[in-house]
């Protein structure tokens, strides 16, 4: 308790309990303000205010409220505080009674937290039961469903748990097919002990695993669909059978061994015969493996079993075993730890491969390599190729390999008989000074000794040698030994000389070519030019070099094709034509061929085509005039044909028809009065006139196709094909695109298209040996495509431009050209020939 001045909130007096609990001395406590020990509520501290007076209860008694107070050491306590008004030495004060409730508040908080945790745990438990993978359901003692989680509803093939709650299980499912389930449930209820079982439910063709947990109220069943596991177990048994068969036939030893000392053998394959034992002999002694181990390998192999396998690490080890004859054989063993799912002791399963031959080969190889290293110590600085030499400088004995002497045509020399001075006599005089200086720099300054010199062989010819070497120096800095190699580079030197000659020849050829040649870099700048190019362009060499190629072009067409430098060297690029500007401003047309030399340079060959351009222009002019003449001839042919047809129809045809009519009238009027001989002659004459009329009509049909002028191309072709069908030969089929039967094109177009189609059908009937000829008509008002396709023997490529001495194909092409159309004759892929005419109306 303490006395608090209401105005200043200072503490005027305090009892010993307050002083002791808050940790202050009595004097310190009387110096405090209530704000020093009371922790303001958060809302009040945020507002930055404190009420002037404490709340007053009924009858002047201050009400009790809970606060947090701060002790001297900074820790906080919870207190229930009540206030009463007093008069103390003439001042308005309050008697404050503080009752500590820290433990009570903490306990209350713990209870609230525990209640929250309990609610969370209950929600989590409900969530887990509904989300757990196992199907969980409960039955009372009457075998009626009392609970099902979501997986159980699905497993029991229902949509909702309410469909089974309260129902007798064997009313819902077939008891006769579920005896194993019923017996397990019954045993659990009667014995009040958990039951675990696996059973097959035939109606669903599934295996189930059940765990039944009884209680006085009923049983709880955890059930899983194990159909896939059962199938896997069956496959596993099959695999195990296959594995055993493989183990018995493989040449390596497959085994199982215990992980517990003394590591007894549990199984070994018949390949144990490698050691000269049978399976029964080896298995008769469970400790045979440890007894057969080499004494030097036993500790290491046993340590691997006790250390590595405890940690479940697969490992590989190599050891030796004694065979039945007492010989040691090497085995490479790879094994792993197996932990059976049924809880039985773990064991080792592995395979041991006999590598005796490999180990012996490796040992022989190592010995050979050691011998080789010892023999190559004096050549340790020698290169991978060439002939080895060494020089003992203390005795001045120089030794070369036998190959060195043989390639020079000499018999090998012994190092005892050869000195460095003899080698100097064999070196070319021009190279002897360089050799001496290089050796001096190497021995004194330790610079690399690497040079090319000429040495005289037994036939007096000079051979080029690439000589390299490295000396050894004593601790005193004196060179005492030197070793190195020599490589005969005479072929390379000869090739370099030939290359230089070839380069000189190419340069001469470059300068003497009739065409202009430019050497161009990747930036399209001229690096070099031959005299012909300079003459063609009117430049001197100094002014042409390093000039941008674009500066020579009359227009802005592409210069060197971008892909030229990407092609393989010596591959010629596509031909192009440039208009180049000479230095005097005149323009010269040239044909350009480019070729890549490497990734940064290419060659452009320029050929003046001024004369060829003029010839091409003249040829085009002649071709145009010929085309115009051809069109005029075709037009004149059509007009002449129409006039001839008109004359035959109006004159000869009419005359023949009248003559026959008069003759027939005479025969009718004379009747039987005519002599038989005369009557017979008149009948014959009437037949001749009738045939003449038919011939005239046929000629008219050939000269002026029926229906072409009146009804159009489609109708005329249809009429022509119908007439062709009356004769023997292949079938002819007309195919007209929808909407084109009444479509009309210019009369000259229709006439030429009809005549081309007629000629193509006639050729197919005569030469193709086809069974079907299709005439296809396509297009619209502004274009026309006519195709004549047969399924005959086809046409050879050399005949597609026409048969020698025949004008049929040539005539079809000329008719197409006369109307500005294209006519093509090609062989079909599957056999047969296609004749196509394509016309398009000229643009506005």
């Amino acid at each position: 308790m303490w006395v608090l001045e209401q105005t200043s909130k200072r503490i005027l007096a305090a009892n010993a309990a307050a002083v002791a609990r808050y940790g202050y001395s009595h004097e310190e406590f009387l110096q405090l303000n209530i704000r020093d020990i009371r922790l303001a509520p958060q809302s009040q501290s945020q507002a930055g205010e404190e009420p002037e007076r404490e709340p007053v209860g009924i009858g002047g008694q201050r009400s009790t409220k809970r606060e947090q107070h701060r002790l001297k050491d900074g820790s906080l306590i919870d207190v229930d505080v009540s206030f009463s008004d007093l008069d103390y030495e003439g001042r308005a004060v309050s008697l404050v009674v503080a009752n500590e409730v820290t433990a009570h508040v903490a306990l209350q908080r713990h209870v609230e937290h525990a209640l929250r945790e309990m609610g969370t745990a209950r929600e989590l438990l409900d969530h887990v039961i509904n989300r757990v993978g196992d199907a969980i359901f409960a039955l009372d003692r009457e075998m009626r469903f009392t609970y099902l989680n979501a997986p159980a509803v699905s497993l029991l093939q229902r949509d909702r748990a309410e469909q089974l709650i309260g129902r007798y299980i064997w009313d819902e499912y077939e008891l006769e097919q579920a005896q194993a389930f019923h017996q397990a449930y019954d045993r659990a209820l009667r014995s009040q002990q958990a039951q675990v079982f696996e059973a097959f439910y035939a109606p669903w063709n599934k295996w189930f695993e059940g765990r039944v947990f009884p209680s006085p109220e009923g049983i709880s069943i955890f059930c899983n669909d194990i159909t896939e596991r059962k199938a896997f177990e069956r496959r596993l048994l099959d695999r195990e059978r296959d594995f055993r068969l493989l183990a018995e036939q493989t040449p390596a030893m497959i085994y199982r061994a215990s992980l517990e000392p003394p590591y007894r053998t549990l199984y070994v394959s018949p390949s144990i015969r490698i050691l000269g034992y049978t399976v029964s002999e080896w298995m008769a002694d469970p400790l045979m493996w440890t007894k057969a181990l080499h004494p030097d390998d036993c500790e290491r192999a046993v340590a691997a079993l006790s250390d590595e396998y405890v940690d479940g690490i697969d490992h590989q080890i190599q050891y030796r075993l004694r065979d039945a004859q007492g010989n040691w054989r090497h085995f490479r063993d790879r094994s792993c730890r197996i932990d059976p799912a049924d809880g039985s002791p773990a064991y080792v399963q592995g395979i041991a491969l006999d590598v005796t031959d490999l180990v012996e080969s490796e040992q022989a190889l190592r010995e050979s390599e050691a011998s080789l290293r010892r023999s190559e110590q004096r050549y340790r600085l020698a290169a991978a190729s060439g002939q080895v030499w060494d020089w003992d400088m203390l005795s001045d004995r120089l030794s070369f390999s036998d190959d060195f002497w043989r390639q020079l045509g000499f018999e090998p020399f012994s190092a005892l008989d050869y000195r460095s001075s003899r080698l100097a006599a064999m070196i070319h005089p021009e190279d002897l000074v360089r050799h001496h200086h290089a050796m001096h720099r190497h021995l004194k300054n330790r610079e690399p000794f690497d040079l090319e010199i000429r040495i005289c062989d037994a036939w007096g010819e000079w051979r080029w040698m690439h000589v390299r070497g490295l000396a050894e120096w004593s601790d005193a800095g004196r060179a005492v030994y030197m070793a190195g190699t020599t490589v005969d580079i005479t072929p390379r030197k000869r090739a370099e000389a030939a290359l230089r000659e070839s380069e000189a020849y190419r340069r001469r050829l470059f300068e003497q070519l009739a065409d202009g040649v430019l050497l161009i870099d990747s930036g399209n700048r001229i690096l070099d030019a031959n005299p012909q190019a300079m003459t063609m362009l009117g430049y001197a060499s100094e002014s042409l070099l390093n000039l941008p190629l674009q500066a020579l072009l009359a227009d802005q067409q592409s210069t060197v094709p971008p892909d030229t430098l990407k092609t393989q060297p010596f591959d010629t690029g596509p031909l192009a034509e440039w208009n180049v500007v000479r230095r005097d401003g005149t323009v010269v047309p040239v044909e350009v061929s480019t070729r890549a030399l490497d990734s940064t340079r290419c060659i452009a060959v320029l050929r003046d085509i001024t004369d060829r351009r003029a010839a091409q222009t003249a040829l085009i002019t002649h071709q145009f005039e010929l085309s115009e003449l051809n069109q005029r001839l075709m037009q004149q042919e059509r007009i002449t044909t129409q006039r001839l047809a008109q004359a035959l129809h109006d004159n000869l045809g009419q005359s023949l028809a009248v003559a026959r009519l008069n003759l027939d009238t005479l025969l009718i009027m004379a009747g039987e009065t005519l002599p038989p001989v005369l009557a017979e002659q008149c009948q014959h004459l009437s037949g001749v006139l009738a045939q003449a009329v038919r011939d005239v009509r046929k000629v008219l049909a050939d000269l002026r196709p029926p229906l072409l002028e009146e009804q159009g191309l489609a109708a005329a072709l249809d009429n022509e094909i119908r007439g062709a069908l009356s004769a023997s030969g292949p079938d002819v089929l007309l195919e007209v695109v929808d909407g084109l039967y009444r479509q009309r094109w210019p009369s000259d177009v229709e006439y030429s298209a009809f005549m081309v189609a007629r000629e193509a059908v006639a050729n197919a009937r005569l030469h193709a040996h086809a069974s079907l000829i299709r005439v296809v008509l396509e297009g619209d008002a502004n274009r026309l495509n006519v195709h004549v396709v047969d399924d005959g023997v086809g046409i050879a490529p050399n005949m597609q431009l026409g048969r020698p001495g025949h004008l049929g194909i040539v005539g079809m092409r000329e008719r197409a050209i006369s109307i500005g159309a294209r006519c093509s004759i090609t062989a079909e892929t599957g056999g047969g020939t296609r004749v196509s005419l394509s016309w398009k109306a000229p643009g506005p």
Side-chain angles (χ1 to χ4, degrees), residues 565-811:
L565 295 179
K566 300 180 182 178
T567 59
Q568 295 293 329
F570 311 114
D571 287 349
T572 303
L575 292 176
E577 293 186 2
W578 296 348
N579 292 321
V580 297
V581 181
R582 292 171 50 86
R583 189 165 191 176
D584 58 7
T586 59
V587 178
V588 178
V590 295
E591 182 182 71
V592 183
S593 173
T594 57
R595 184 183 68 189
L597 287 181
D598 49 42
S599 61
T600 60
R601 299 178 303 163
C602 68
I603 283 180
V605 179
L606 283 65
R607 177 170 297 174
D608 189 343
I609 59 172
T610 304
D611 296 338
R612 192 176 76 186
R613 280 267 184 97
Q616 288 177 345
T617 302
L619 178 61
I620 292 173
T621 302
H622 294 329
Q623 288 178 342
F624 180 74
E625 293 174 352
L626 182 61
S627 177
E628 285 188 341
L629 179 59
N630 180 63
Q631 291 182 16
R632 291 169 59 186
L633 287 174
M634 289 295 174
Q635 180 67 18
Q636 187 62 40
E637 177 203 13
R638 189 166 65 88
I639 295 173
T640 302
T641 300
Q642 289 178 350
R643 290 177 179 176
L644 179 59
Q646 187 68 33
L648 288 175
H649 180 270
D650 295 344
N651 299 324
L652 181 59
Q654 296 295 332
S655 298
L656 290 175
V658 170
R660 182 189 175 192
L661 180 61
N662 291 334
L663 182 59
D664 291 343
T665 303
L666 179 60
L667 288 174
I668 294 172
M669 293 177 62
E672 297 179 355
T673 60
L674 284 176
V677 176
L678 184 58
E680 183 179 355
Q681 290 295 326
C682 289
Q683 290 290 343
H684 176 70
L685 181 58
S686 177
V688 171
L689 290 174
Q691 182 62 40
V693 170
R694 287 194 295 270
D695 291 342
V696 169
R697 289 177 179 173
K698 185 175 183 302
V699 171
L700 286 175
D702 292 339
L703 294 176
R704 187 173 61 183
L707 306 180
L708 183 61
E709 294 182 0
E710 292 80 6
Q711 298 185 23
L713 179 61
L717 287 175
D718 183 53
N719 183 71
E720 181 74 15
I721 289 173
R722 291 179 185 274
L725 291 176
S726 61
S728 61
D731 293 334
V732 184
L733 177 65
L734 176 64
E735 300 177 9
V736 182
V737 175
D738 293 343
L740 285 187
Y741 197 84
R742 298 187 179 278
Q743 178 65 48
R744 299 303 302 269
W745 293 275
S747 59
D748 57 339
V749 174
E750 291 186 336
Y751 179 79
S752 296
F754 178 87
M755 298 303 290
V756 169
R758 171 188 279 178
E759 181 69 23
V761 171
N763 288 342
R765 292 174 65 88
L766 290 175
H767 308 294
H769 304 290
S771 61
L772 176 64
I773 303 172
R774 297 169 49 239
V775 181
V776 182
L777 192 62
E778 302 174 339
D780 52 32
N782 295 317
R783 62 186 181 88
L784 172 62
N785 295 321
V786 180
H787 307 281
V788 179
V789 185
D790 66 70
D791 58 357
V793 296
I795 185 170
N798 60 347
M799 294 294 183
Q800 293 179 5
L801 296 179
R803 298 174 182 267
H806 296 267
L807 300 178
I809 294 178
V810 175

Side-chain angles (χ1 to χ4, degrees), residues 378-382 389-391 393 439 442-443 446-450 467-473 479-485:
R378 66 189 186 95
Y379 310 127
R380 59 185 178 276
L381 301 176
W389 59 267
D390 60 353
W391 181 21
M393 297 181 180
M439 184 65 71
H442 179 66
L443 298 179
R446 303 193 181 188
E447 297 180 7
F449 180 71
D450 189 333
V467 184
R468 291 180 293 179
L470 182 65
E472 288 185 1
W473 291 267
V480 296
Y481 177 80
M482 189 171 182
T485 60

Side-chain angles (χ1 to χ4, degrees), residues 59 65 172 300 357 455 465 479 695 751 756 767 789 808 821 824 840:
K65 65 178 181 180
E172 300 296 322
R300 177 170 53 85
D357 295 340
I455 296 179
M465 295 288 176
D695 291 342
Y751 179 79
V756 169
H767 308 294
V789 185
S824 62
K840 185 176 181 181

Side-chain angles (χ1 to χ4, degrees), residues 303-449:
L305 286 172
S306 59
D307 296 337
E308 296 186 21
Y309 281 121
V310 170
D311 298 332
I313 301 174
D314 296 354
H315 83 299
Q316 181 173 318
I317 191 172
Q318 191 164 314
Y319 51 79
R320 289 163 286 180
L321 292 176
R322 188 194 303 272
D323 62 15
Q325 290 76 34
N327 300 318
W328 294 105
R329 301 195 66 82
H330 295 261
F331 287 87
R332 184 168 293 163
D333 188 313
R334 186 175 184 86
S335 54
C336 63
R337 173 188 178 122
I338 303 297
D339 292 293
D342 58 4
S344 57
Y347 59 86
V348 174
Q349 180 166 299
I351 180 169
L353 183 65
D354 186 356
V355 293
T356 304
D357 295 340
L358 177 62
V359 170
E360 291 176 353
S361 299
E362 290 176 348
Q363 180 63 28
L365 179 61
R366 285 193 294 271
E367 293 175 357
S368 175
E369 289 175 347
S371 175
L372 181 62
R373 283 194 300 271
R374 289 192 297 271
S375 65
E376 288 182 348
Q377 286 180 358
R378 66 189 186 95
Y379 310 127
R380 59 185 178 276
L381 301 176
S385 60
Q387 293 76 40
V388 179
W389 59 267
D390 60 353
W391 181 21
D392 186 351
M393 297 181 180
L394 299 178
S395 60
D396 194 27
R397 292 176 179 174
L398 187 61
S399 174
F400 286 89
S401 65
D402 293 347
D403 292 340
F404 173 78
W405 296 115
R406 291 192 183 99
Q407 73 181 2
L408 294 178
F410 296 106
E411 289 297 324
F413 286 91
S414 170
L416 299 176
D417 302 329
Y418 203 78
R419 298 292 185 269
S420 59
S421 58
R422 296 185 63 180
L423 176 64
M426 299 175 63
I427 299 177
H428 194 285
E430 296 178 1
D431 301 332
L432 186 60
V433 176
R434 290 193 303 108
H435 180 271
H436 175 75
H437 289 330
M439 184 65 71
H440 178 77
R441 289 193 301 271
H442 179 66
L443 298 179
K444 296 299 181 182
N445 304 330
R446 303 193 181 188
E447 297 180 7
F449 180 71

